[in-house]
Amino acid sequence: GSDAGDGMLRNVDSFMRGAADMFTLGHADELAALGNATIDAMTGKPNNYNRRLQQERITQKIRDERDPVASTLGRVAGAVTGGVGMARGGATLLGRNVPGLSAVAPKATRTGLAATEGALYGGAYGFGSGEGMEDRLKDAAWGAGTGAAMGAVTHKVGDAITSRLAQ
């Protein structure tokens, strides 16, 4: 899409790019480039995966700079919908699908599981967001640390809200 102007469509595109980035654990640029390169190949154009990947990364950088609110809100939406979907599908360490776990597992253990789960998702996102192996590993480490902290904090906040509502 065009990067010109401040129109509503550009903000929607920035939001959607942010959501896709988080939902795919940082692989949205690679997936979009692969799709575009495949279409190029099917229409007789040369394989341009690397060029398409560079275009996607540049476009995302421009979106993040020009539309930081839309991009950030999209990332939050992508993280929440992706995380909730995976948890509902059973891809969670918190044992929501294990009857009685919350009654037997101490809160500290569940907070540790939430931190571990956050570290796994954050590390995967960081790895997917990096460019080149060294950058991917550095971003994975940063993502794991950030994810662990966010997992623990959001779990504690969720417990506090649940306790308040139960009173």
Side-chain angles (χ1 to χ4, degrees), residues 80-163:
V80 169
T81 57
V84 167
M86 287 188 269
R88 284 192 177 162
T92 180
L93 297 174
L94 293 176
R96 290 187 188 103
N97 296 329
V98 179
L101 178 70
S102 60
V104 297
K107 285 186 179 187
T109 300
R110 287 181 287 145
T111 301
L113 290 173
T116 301
E117 190 168 317
L120 291 171
Y121 288 133
Y125 173 77
F127 185 84
S129 296
E131 298 179 34
M133 190 52 71
E134 185 178 330
D135 190 48
R136 285 183 185 275
L137 293 174
K138 178 183 64 96
D139 288 355
W142 176 258
T146 304
M150 292 301 294
V153 167
T154 56
H155 187 264
K156 290 289 229 183
V157 169
D159 270 357
I161 291 170
T162 302
S163 293

Side-chain angles (χ1 to χ4, degrees), residues 1-5 10 13-14 17 54-68 71 75:
S2 172
D3 291 316
R10 194 185 80 195
D13 185 58
S14 296
R17 283 175 178 275
Q54 207 50 33
Q55 286 175 331
E56 289 298 325
R57 288 179 173 161
I58 289 168
T59 300
Q60 185 61 55
K61 185 175 185 207
I62 291 169
R63 292 291 193 254
D64 290 345
E65 290 170 358
R66 292 188 183 170
D67 304 318
S71 235
R75 281 189 171 88

Side-chain angles (χ1 to χ4, degrees), residues 13-57:
D13 185 58
S14 296
F15 177 91
M16 295 305 292
R17 283 175 178 275
D21 181 52
M22 288 300 287
F23 193 81
T24 63
L25 298 174
H27 288 89
D29 52 352
E30 287 96 346
L31 292 170
L34 179 62
N36 288 327
T38 300
I39 291 169
D40 288 346
M42 291 171 60
T43 58
K45 296 177 185 171
N47 183 342
N48 287 314
Y49 174 79
N50 289 331
R51 182 177 64 81
R52 292 293 196 165
L53 180 58
Q54 207 50 33
Q55 286 175 331
E56 289 298 325
R57 288 179 173 161

